[in-house]
Amino acid sequence: MPNKENTDWRSIVSASCARAKDLCEQEEEPDLAQRLSEADRRLQLGLFRLVVMGEIKKGKSSFINALLGEKEIVP
């Protein structure tokens, strides 16, 4: 597993977006390719949304806290 302190996650996600965009263009899905480009642009600016959905009391808050490496960011 990569060391989270030394990993450039933006570059990794951006490269994945570029590959997905290429596939969309090959499959003639220009709308999806455009949405991926916009999402990548927002990511490079540090603007993104993360949606976590699930049943009530099934660990969503615990998951977010663990993902962020903190205990009590999300109650």
Side-chain angles (χ1 to χ4, degrees), residues 57 60-62 64-65 71-75:
K57 295 288 189 183
K60 296 176 298 295
S61 296
S62 297
I64 293 169
N65 288 331
K71 290 184 179 182
E72 297 290 330
I73 291 180
V74 179

mmCIF file of all heavy atoms in Angstrom, residues 57 60-62 64-65 71-75:
data_model
loop_
_atom_site.group_PDB
_atom_site.id
_atom_site.type_symbol
_atom_site.label_atom_id
_atom_site.label_comp_id
_atom_site.label_asym_id
_atom_site.label_seq_id
_atom_site.Cartn_x
_atom_site.Cartn_y
_atom_site.Cartn_z
ATOM 1 N N LYS A 57 -27.014 4.013 11.117
ATOM 2 C CA LYS A 57 -26.213 3.321 12.138
ATOM 3 C C LYS A 57 -25.446 2.128 11.577
ATOM 4 O O LYS A 57 -25.360 1.079 12.206
ATOM 5 C CB LYS A 57 -27.108 2.855 13.294
ATOM 6 C CG LYS A 57 -27.741 3.976 14.076
ATOM 7 C CD LYS A 57 -26.689 4.658 14.896
ATOM 8 C CE LYS A 57 -27.282 5.644 15.867
ATOM 9 N NZ LYS A 57 -26.274 6.352 16.606
ATOM 10 N N LYS A 60 -21.154 4.772 8.644
ATOM 11 C CA LYS A 60 -20.739 5.800 7.680
ATOM 12 C C LYS A 60 -19.819 6.835 8.328
ATOM 13 O O LYS A 60 -18.770 7.163 7.781
ATOM 14 C CB LYS A 60 -21.968 6.483 7.058
ATOM 15 C CG LYS A 60 -22.843 5.560 6.225
ATOM 16 C CD LYS A 60 -24.076 6.257 5.717
ATOM 17 C CE LYS A 60 -24.997 6.747 6.803
ATOM 18 N NZ LYS A 60 -25.642 5.728 7.634
ATOM 19 N N SER A 61 -20.214 7.324 9.489
ATOM 20 C CA SER A 61 -19.383 8.318 10.181
ATOM 21 C C SER A 61 -18.042 7.729 10.595
ATOM 22 O O SER A 61 -16.998 8.376 10.448
ATOM 23 C CB SER A 61 -20.112 8.855 11.422
ATOM 24 O OG SER A 61 -21.284 9.535 11.045
ATOM 25 N N SER A 62 -18.047 6.522 11.076
ATOM 26 C CA SER A 62 -16.790 5.858 11.450
ATOM 27 C C SER A 62 -15.895 5.692 10.232
ATOM 28 O O SER A 62 -14.674 5.875 10.315
ATOM 29 C CB SER A 62 -17.083 4.487 12.065
ATOM 30 O OG SER A 62 -17.816 4.633 13.264
ATOM 31 N N ILE A 64 -15.829 7.617 7.511
ATOM 32 C CA ILE A 64 -15.291 8.934 7.131
ATOM 33 C C ILE A 64 -14.174 9.330 8.085
ATOM 34 O O ILE A 64 -13.121 9.804 7.655
ATOM 35 C CB ILE A 64 -16.410 9.992 7.096
ATOM 36 C CG1 ILE A 64 -17.386 9.680 5.966
ATOM 37 C CG2 ILE A 64 -15.828 11.395 6.932
ATOM 38 C CD1 ILE A 64 -18.670 10.495 6.005
ATOM 39 N N ASN A 65 -14.386 9.145 9.381
ATOM 40 C CA ASN A 65 -13.352 9.477 10.359
ATOM 41 C C ASN A 65 -12.088 8.659 10.119
ATOM 42 O O ASN A 65 -10.977 9.189 10.178
ATOM 43 C CB ASN A 65 -13.881 9.270 11.784
ATOM 44 C CG ASN A 65 -14.886 10.329 12.176
ATOM 45 O OD1 ASN A 65 -14.844 11.456 11.715
ATOM 46 N ND2 ASN A 65 -15.809 9.953 13.034
ATOM 47 N N LYS A 71 -10.506 10.839 14.872
ATOM 48 C CA LYS A 71 -11.516 10.091 15.629
ATOM 49 C C LYS A 71 -12.881 10.755 15.625
ATOM 50 O O LYS A 71 -13.886 10.070 15.569
ATOM 51 C CB LYS A 71 -11.055 9.899 17.070
ATOM 52 C CG LYS A 71 -9.902 8.942 17.191
ATOM 53 C CD LYS A 71 -9.558 8.714 18.645
ATOM 54 C CE LYS A 71 -8.405 7.728 18.735
ATOM 55 N NZ LYS A 71 -8.054 7.416 20.098
ATOM 56 N N GLU A 72 -12.934 12.066 15.714
ATOM 57 C CA GLU A 72 -14.220 12.725 15.949
ATOM 58 C C GLU A 72 -14.526 13.877 14.999
ATOM 59 O O GLU A 72 -15.163 14.840 15.407
ATOM 60 C CB GLU A 72 -14.274 13.228 17.396
ATOM 61 C CG GLU A 72 -14.209 12.142 18.441
ATOM 62 C CD GLU A 72 -15.461 11.283 18.486
ATOM 63 O OE1 GLU A 72 -16.559 11.782 18.179
ATOM 64 O OE2 GLU A 72 -15.336 10.093 18.818
ATOM 65 N N ILE A 73 -14.091 13.814 13.762
ATOM 66 C CA ILE A 73 -14.448 14.896 12.836
ATOM 67 C C ILE A 73 -15.933 14.850 12.550
ATOM 68 O O ILE A 73 -16.635 15.843 12.619
ATOM 69 C CB ILE A 73 -13.633 14.809 11.529
ATOM 70 C CG1 ILE A 73 -12.182 15.146 11.806
ATOM 71 C CG2 ILE A 73 -14.226 15.733 10.461
ATOM 72 C CD1 ILE A 73 -11.280 15.089 10.603
ATOM 73 N N VAL A 74 -16.418 13.663 12.237
ATOM 74 C CA VAL A 74 -17.853 13.471 11.975
ATOM 75 C C VAL A 74 -18.408 12.735 13.190
ATOM 76 O O VAL A 74 -17.941 11.645 13.510
ATOM 77 C CB VAL A 74 -18.090 12.654 10.688
ATOM 78 C CG1 VAL A 74 -19.567 12.446 10.458
ATOM 79 C CG2 VAL A 74 -17.456 13.350 9.494
ATOM 80 N N PRO A 75 -19.406 13.328 13.861
ATOM 81 C CA PRO A 75 -19.938 12.669 15.062
ATOM 82 C C PRO A 75 -20.725 11.397 14.719
ATOM 83 O O PRO A 75 -21.229 11.232 13.662
ATOM 84 C CB PRO A 75 -20.850 13.724 15.679
ATOM 85 C CG PRO A 75 -21.142 14.706 14.610
ATOM 86 C CD PRO A 75 -20.048 14.598 13.597
#
